[in-house]
Amino acid sequence: MTESEQPSVPLSVLLADPALALRQVAGPVGDHRVSTVGTTEIEDPTPYLVGGELLLTAGVRLPLDAEGVDTYVRQVVAAGVSALGFGVAPVHEEVPPELVAACDRHGLPLLRLPPATPFVAVGQAAYAAIAEVRNRELREISRAQSALATAAARPDALQAVLAQLSAYTGAWAVLYDAQGNELFHAGPRPDSPTPDRVRDLVLRTTARTRAGAIARTRTRTRTRTGTGTGTGTIPATRSGPAARSAPSAAADHQGGIHLTVHTLPAADGATTTLALGQAATTPPTLVHRQITSTATVLLALLTSPRHALGTDTHSAGALVRLMLGATPADVAPALSPADTKRTEQHWIVVHGRHTPARSAPAPHPGDDPAQLATLGTALGTPYLYVDGSELKALIPGTPDARPEVPAQAADLGWTLGFGAPAAAADLPHADRQAARALQRAIAARVPAVVHVEDPLTVHGLVPPAAARDLARTRFAPLDEAGPPGAPVLLATLRTWLTLHGSWDRTAAALHVHRNTVRHRLSRVAEVLDVDLQDPGVRMELWFALEWVNSPSAEAR
């Protein structure tokens, strides 16, 4: 514990104690902090001081001349003494005027102790007050830790933990990814340029942390292999700043704003980290640092794959049953939260596509456990599957559940499509809804689209079985179309219709050349013997595509 972290009390607490009858006779008036009480009668006590003391003396060895008194005061001020207490009688009948003048000159509070106040009584009063301060700090830390633990058990755990952290520290608290994107935040947002300064400090700190992790990994690898001759082995080590542990925290205090950053440890030795940033108008206290430390640990646990991705026995058991022949409807109850098991279990299917900003390219979340865990927490589900830039997820819910689109998903570079709540037996239909919603979101260039059921539609009027038969019959000729095959032709047709016949946007969505799109659609028109420029034909084909239930037809 550093000097600044020592429990202390304001000097005014001792001055206000009537039993001590202390009186300030010199020096600045203010709440100078006292962390300990010491007594000395030597001419130069500085070798025995640590700073923060209320130094008591009866002036037994006090210099007799003004110059000597000035030197004495200057030395104890340089040693960090908070205040000087002078006991009158029996050595001095009153506080020497030379001492009063020197304390005023050097800005040292000077207290007069009356003859009836023993030095021991001052020490006892100070330590009792310090103990009470420490008890209050411990109670505040305990309350904050309890509140943080409760917040960590909520469905919106990350947001809730940040909210409690902000409430107890008075700071704006933000969780960032390694690219400086704000994932969650709590507390009043400070004026510009403070948010940019916090982000810049986060980027610099996480960059140093990753560089240090890479350097340590290389050092460990070279040490394990080593080089040498004979029976001896000389480990290859790396010297310099890169080989030492990179800082996991940083601070920047400018213009009355105090910034702090704490990186969250990555999983399994990964170099990508999340970071907690804070901005406050007051310096962080010992209590604030303790609370922040607890919050950092909780955030690291909440964003770890083992916690956020739900590697529990229920999920593992459900997977075993599914692989051994059980149906989704049979295993779905084992994956449901306790509060939804009391009602009819439904699921919301989510499709997503990852398109990070060009200015700050990010690794695919599937390669970054921390970002994947953050995405799962934002969506409120552990059931995620990421394949490159494609996402599929299942969110447990109820029949009347309304999907909530998390802003964090867009910050992470995701575009999402949500299906309507569906029972486990109807998941294939909900999967197609989510896929179509994602295509609409991409076409409209919006962060997300939520599928909405409308009974007053053709889909609501035509029996599903008849519609599926019509779709299979309509597209059956494509099975004989040859390369690239019916699934690819259907996927190209669906994307082209979704994007309102735009060749360029379809090519971009499918990651192929626009001439490839033209060739595929010409093949579709030829095999199906239709005119794709006819709006009626497009409508008919779109309707049929809505009911193509082959999983391969949904391939992208």
Side-chain angles (χ1 to χ4, degrees), residues 177 205 345:
D177 66 10
T205 305
Q345 177 61 48

Side-chain angles (χ1 to χ4, degrees), residues 185-237:
H185 57 84
R189 188 179 186 86
D191 296 334
S192 181
T194 297
D196 290 337
R197 287 178 51 205
V198 178
R199 181 179 183 274
D200 179 65
L201 186 60
V202 164
L203 291 175
R204 286 187 278 119
T205 305
T206 54
R208 289 196 300 269
T209 301
R210 288 196 300 274
I214 293 172
R216 291 193 299 275
T217 300
R218 290 174 177 171
T219 299
R220 287 195 298 268
T221 301
R222 296 177 65 190
T223 301
R224 282 197 300 269
T225 57
T227 58
T229 59
T231 59
T233 300
I234 304 174
T237 59

Side-chain angles (χ1 to χ4, degrees), residues 333-370:
L335 305 178
S336 307
D339 57 346
T340 59
K341 289 181 179 179
R342 295 189 293 268
T343 61
E344 183 183 357
Q345 177 61 48
H346 277 58
W347 298 84
I348 296 170
V349 181
V350 184
H351 281 219
R353 181 167 297 173
H354 191 238
T355 52
R358 294 181 180 178
S359 59
H364 291 310
D367 301 328
D368 184 350

Side-chain angles (χ1 to χ4, degrees), residues 137-289:
E137 291 177 345
L138 292 174
R139 288 194 296 269
E140 184 177 355
I141 292 172
S142 178
R143 285 194 300 268
Q145 290 176 336
S146 177
L148 289 169
T150 301
R154 290 175 44 132
D156 57 340
L158 293 176
Q159 183 63 55
V161 168
L162 287 180
Q164 292 297 331
L165 175 62
S166 177
Y168 277 93
T169 62
W172 180 57
V174 192
L175 183 64
Y176 294 89
D177 66 10
Q179 285 69 47
N181 298 312
E182 293 183 17
L183 304 180
F184 300 90
H185 57 84
R189 188 179 186 86
D191 296 334
S192 181
T194 297
D196 290 337
R197 287 178 51 205
V198 178
R199 181 179 183 274
D200 179 65
L201 186 60
V202 164
L203 291 175
R204 286 187 278 119
T205 305
T206 54
R208 289 196 300 269
T209 301
R210 288 196 300 274
I214 293 172
R216 291 193 299 275
T217 300
R218 290 174 177 171
T219 299
R220 287 195 298 268
T221 301
R222 296 177 65 190
T223 301
R224 282 197 300 269
T225 57
T227 58
T229 59
T231 59
T233 300
I234 304 174
T237 59
R238 185 184 180 98
S239 62
R244 296 190 292 270
S245 297
S248 60
D252 182 15
H253 304 155
Q254 295 180 15
I257 302 297
H258 299 262
L259 312 181
T260 55
V261 167
H262 296 80
T263 60
L264 275 59
D268 301 326
T271 57
T272 299
T273 59
L274 301 176
L276 170 65
Q278 294 173 285
T281 56
T282 57
T285 65
L286 171 62
V287 173
H288 294 163
R289 286 191 287 272

Side-chain angles (χ1 to χ4, degrees), residues 6 60 86 103 180 195 219 222 253 274 278 406 447 453 464 475 514:
Q6 291 284 351
V60 176
F86 193 88
C103 288
T219 299
R222 296 177 65 190
H253 304 155
L274 301 176
Q278 294 173 285
E453 292 283 4
F475 295 120
R514 67 193 307 271

Side-chain angles (χ1 to χ4, degrees), residues 484 488 492 503 507 512-522:
V488 174
T492 304
W503 306 102
V512 298
H513 194 276
R514 67 193 307 271
N515 289 341
T516 302
V517 175
R518 286 184 178 274
H519 175 74
R520 291 178 183 177
L521 292 178
S522 296

Side-chain angles (χ1 to χ4, degrees), residues 12-37:
S12 58
V13 171
L14 300 179
L15 289 169
D17 188 340
L20 300 178
L22 304 178
R23 180 165 57 90
Q24 183 170 348
V25 296
V29 177
D31 275 348
H32 291 251
R33 309 291 300 191
V34 174
S35 58
T36 187
V37 177

